[in-house]
Amino acid sequence: MMREQGTLRGARKYLEIKGIPFRESLDPASGNRELTIPQQITLSYDPDGRFLSSRPPSVSANG
């Protein structure tokens, strides 16, 4: 698993092993993927699956 550290594949595997729910989305313009753990964090990865950045998840207005 050390080879997968810092990669999209490694993050998916870790979250699945730990049973942590997440959503995955694709930005068609850039090809970047995001893994979002609701109400916690969003992780961004480049098209090759390498980690780019993290940020708080977007706040959605559910009216």
Side-chain angles (χ1 to χ4, degrees), residues 41-62:
I41 193 167
T42 295
L43 307 169
S44 298
Y45 295 86
D46 70 10
D48 294 324
R50 290 185 297 262
F51 178 76
L52 293 174
S53 64
S54 64
R55 60 178 168 75
S58 300
V59 177
S60 63
N62 294 335

Side-chain angles (χ1 to χ4, degrees), residues 8-59:
L8 177 62
R9 183 175 173 176
R12 276 192 209 118
K13 184 181 283 187
Y14 177 82
L15 294 171
E16 289 169 359
I17 288 170
K18 293 293 185 178
I20 299 170
F22 66 93
R23 288 188 318 264
E24 185 171 341
S25 59
L26 171 67
D27 178 356
S30 67
N32 292 345
R33 292 194 176 269
E34 291 187 337
L35 292 183
T36 300
I37 301 168
Q39 301 177 354
Q40 292 186 38
I41 193 167
T42 295
L43 307 169
S44 298
Y45 295 86
D46 70 10
D48 294 324
R50 290 185 297 262
F51 178 76
L52 293 174
S53 64
S54 64
R55 60 178 168 75
S58 300
V59 177

